[in-house]
């Protein structure tokens, strides 16, 4: 009976934490120096609720980063990088990642605390990316001698550029095609190697 009574409290606590994290993303993206009080107001909760859930501002920001990196990891796995053909997986994952990174720009745009859960999540995402790029190389989508870590870094840079400037309002699927095509073919014609420049 005690366990049944506690369930709604846990669900309520989860909703409260989610509301705080979503508000923190919005408020901190607009003003990185915003206080816990401002975040509480944006979340529609009492300041004491924020302090009860998070020991201090740094703990809140680390939890925000951990949550966002977790969503990014789910976006990668949703693309089925191990089983889907590499080109399809790369496109799907890129579109998913653009959606998540666009929604959580503050949390995903700051360096993760070394040794924290967010940093470990980033490392896992990087490893998964290299694995997928290895599959792409094995299928001839990348040069046999391609340095996969370098390709990963270029891929990350292209995603970053897709989230800035005039491209921000474009459909994530359209942007994903642009990112993947640029990664695999550069800015030249795809058929240049077969038909000449």
């Amino acid at each position: 009976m005690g366990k049944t009574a506690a369930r709604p409290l846990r669900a309520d606590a989860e909703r409260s934490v989610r509301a705080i994290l979503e508000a923190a993303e919005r408020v901190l993206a607009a003003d990185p120096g915003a206080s816990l009080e401002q975040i509480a107001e944006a979340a529609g909760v009492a300041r004491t609720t924020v302090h009860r859930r998070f020991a201090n501002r740094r703990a809140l920001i680390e939890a925000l980063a951990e949550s966002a990196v977790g969503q990014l990891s789910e976006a990668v796995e949703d693309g089925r990088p191990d089983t889907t053909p590499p080109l399809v997986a790369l496109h799907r994952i890129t579109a998913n990642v653009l959606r998540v990174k666009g929604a959580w720009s503050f949390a995903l745009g700051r360096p993760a605390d070394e040794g924290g859960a967010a940093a470990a999540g980033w490392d896992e995402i990087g490893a998964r990316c290299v694995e997928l790029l290895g599959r792409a190389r094995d299928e001839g989508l990348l040069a046999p001698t391609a340095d996969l870590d370098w390709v990963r870094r270029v891929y990350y840079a292209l995603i970053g550029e897709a989230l800035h400037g005039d491209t921000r309002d474009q459909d994530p699927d359209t942007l994903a095609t642009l990112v993947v095509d640029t990664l695999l073919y550069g800015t030249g014609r795809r058929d240049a190697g077969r038909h000449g420049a």
Side-chain angles (χ1 to χ4, degrees):
M1 199 131 167
K3 287 182 182 176
T4 305
R7 279 190 193 129
L9 292 175
R10 282 199 298 266
D12 185 54
E14 284 176 22
R15 278 194 298 276
S16 175
V17 168
R18 189 164 52 246
I20 292 166
L21 294 177
E22 288 171 356
E25 172 62 35
R26 288 193 311 274
V27 170
L28 293 169
D31 176 11
S35 67
L36 288 180
E37 288 75 16
Q38 290 170 293
I39 292 167
E41 184 178 342
V45 300
R47 185 185 59 169
T48 53
T49 302
V50 176
H51 286 290
R52 193 165 55 246
R53 305 284 178 228
F54 306 100
N56 51 44
R57 191 173 183 279
R58 180 176 174 157
L60 171 60
I61 291 174
E62 179 60 22
L64 177 61
E66 184 180 343
S67 174
V69 171
Q71 290 180 57
L72 198 61
S73 181
E74 288 173 14
V76 170
E77 296 308 318
D78 182 64
R80 290 182 247 144
D82 299 321
T83 56
T84 304
L87 184 57
V88 175
L90 196 54
H91 182 276
R92 187 179 298 163
I93 288 167
T94 304
N96 290 348
V97 164
L98 287 167
R99 286 183 186 95
V100 174
K101 288 195 81 156
W104 299 92
S105 59
F106 173 82
L108 295 173
R110 59 181 296 282
D113 290 344
E114 194 173 328
W122 274 118
D123 289 345
E124 178 62 25
I125 290 168
R128 298 292 280 143
C129 182
V130 168
E131 288 169 10
L132 175 57
L133 292 172
R135 290 184 63 221
R137 184 176 63 184
D138 292 345
E139 291 214 359
L141 295 171
L142 297 170
T145 57
D147 177 333
L148 296 182
D149 190 57
W150 174 251
V151 176
R152 178 190 61 80
R153 289 166 60 193
V154 170
Y155 174 57
Y156 283 10
L158 289 170
I159 288 173
E161 285 304 311
L163 291 167
H164 294 96
D166 294 338
T167 58
R168 277 185 303 185
D169 296 328
Q170 288 187 24
D171 173 62
D173 288 309
T174 303
L175 285 176
T177 298
L178 184 61
V179 167
V180 172
D181 282 357
T182 305
L183 179 70
L184 298 179
Y185 311 112
T187 56
R189 289 169 37 194
R190 287 191 199 191
D191 61 353
R194 290 193 296 273
H195 303 293

